[in-house]
Amino acid sequence: MTAPTLAPSAGTAPALPASLRMGAVRLRVRDGARSVAFYRDVVGLTPLGTGPEGEIRLGAGGRALVELEVAPGATPRPRGTTGLFHLAILVPDRTALAVVLRRLAAYRVPIGASDHLVSEALYFDDPDGNGIEVYRDRARAEWRWQGGSVAMATEPLDLHRLIAEAPTLVPVEQKMPDATVMGHVHLQVGELDAARRFYVGHLGFAITTESYPGALFVSAGGYHHHLGLNVWQSRRGGPAPEGSVGLVRYEVLLPEAEIAALRARLVAAGESVEDVAGGFTVADPWATRAAFLAG
């Protein structure tokens, strides 16, 4: 079923454009060599060198998907704090997901797996405990919409059937396909009403489902979700101490013409924005920072 046009609710910001895409997710890690090896060899990303701020960049198709900010003295992120639940790397098809499963099995990485109706997903953690999802989308024609909400669930994923679809001639070292992108980012927040005010009321994301207790899923352009927001482990929680491992920022890519208008709306709403090359950054009520960039 084709996704409906998701208009903003009364009192919310204008809807974000359907061309919105997720960009790189920057993480603070303690051991650069260890993390590079994990994201290269286990996840399957390609090293892309160092960025202008010294971050180590890895990605697919020449695009950075994960950036690593190395801080050997970083402390563990305390349980119950807000921040990253997981970053979610979207592979182009089920065969690519099966190759990832083979690689995770070869490295004996503990995983979770779910069928979400709109997608099939594998879950695991990096060496610093940062959550990762690798998933493939079902065709949009298979998504079920009702009253502006998309049907999502958490059902078992048949891993034996999935791994059987991995081509036997493809080596486990095969990198992720060039068409791989950052599909969404799932965040831990302290309170859902405040998250709704910021992400829907100020930024202009549209709610796609509220079917999960304690969670809210939002997107632009009728995607099932570009952001997940939950209080499952962080209800009434606050940010992790400065300098902890975890999320530094995530990127949202918009047409250049949209950047200035969004910045102006946020300032008018009383949000504090910080200009950066190509756009600006803004923090949610729990200091989780997003960079809105032209791209």
Side-chain angles (χ1 to χ4, degrees):
M1 182 184 297
T2 303
T5 300
L6 300 178
S9 303
T12 67
L16 290 167
S19 54
L20 178 147
R21 297 178 293 119
M22 303 304 291
V25 174
R26 185 175 298 185
L27 303 171
R28 183 178 297 109
V29 299
R30 287 170 287 194
D31 186 324
R34 179 181 68 174
S35 291
V36 168
F38 183 86
Y39 281 96
R40 179 192 64 213
D41 301 337
V42 180
V43 181
L45 298 180
T46 300
L48 300 174
T50 302
E53 298 176 3
E55 70 278 12
I56 303 169
R57 304 166 73 244
L58 301 100
R63 297 178 304 276
L65 301 183
V66 174
E67 299 176 343
L68 303 175
E69 180 181 292
V70 180
T75 56
R77 176 184 160 202
R79 183 174 176 82
T81 56
T82 57
L84 183 70
F85 190 62
H86 61 244
L87 59 87
I89 298 170
L90 173 61
V91 294
D93 51 45
R94 201 166 197 263
T95 298
L97 186 65
V99 172
V100 173
L101 177 57
R102 278 187 57 205
R103 189 161 54 243
L104 292 169
Y107 280 94
R108 300 180 182 272
V109 176
I111 67 168
S114 295
D115 183 335
H116 292 303
L117 305 183
V118 294
S119 63
E120 295 178 313
L122 305 173
Y123 296 95
F124 52 99
D125 289 344
D126 78 0
D128 287 284
N130 296 305
I132 300 169
E133 174 183 348
V134 178
Y135 73 110
R136 72 99 182 180
D137 276 337
R138 286 194 166 89
R140 288 197 179 210
E142 299 179 44
W143 302 358
R144 301 196 304 272
W145 291 87
Q146 183 174 8
S149 294
V150 65
M152 293 173 60
T154 299
E155 299 180 350
L157 178 61
D158 187 338
L159 294 179
H160 294 290
R161 183 177 176 185
L162 176 60
I163 205 165
E165 296 190 17
T168 56
L169 297 180
V170 174
V172 72
E173 297 84 7
Q174 177 76 40
K175 298 303 180 190
M176 285 185 160
D178 287 351
T180 301
V181 298
M182 187 62 65
H184 65 267
V185 177
H186 197 145
L187 301 173
Q188 292 176 291
V189 299
E191 198 265 323
L192 287 184
D193 285 343
R196 185 195 306 267
R197 284 193 296 272
F198 179 78
Y199 287 99
V200 179
H202 292 181
L203 286 177
F205 283 101
I207 298 170
T208 54
T209 186
E210 300 178 81
S211 62
Y212 284 80
L216 183 68
F217 295 87
V218 301
S219 82
Y223 190 54
H224 54 72
H225 68 293
H226 287 112
L227 293 175
L229 310 162
N230 80 65
V231 295
W232 297 329
Q233 301 170 14
S234 56
R235 190 182 302 273
R236 293 183 291 277
E242 188 174 351
S244 302
V245 298
L247 181 64
V248 177
R249 75 177 200 187
Y250 63 93
E251 294 177 353
V252 180
L253 307 180
L254 296 170
E256 185 174 3
E258 299 282 343
I259 296 292
L262 177 58
R263 184 189 186 283
R265 291 201 302 269
L266 290 171
V267 171
E271 300 292 347
S272 177
V273 303
E274 179 180 336
D275 292 324
V276 297
F280 64 89
T281 68
V282 64
D284 76 2
W286 305 276
T288 300
R289 188 160 292 275
F292 287 84
L293 305 174

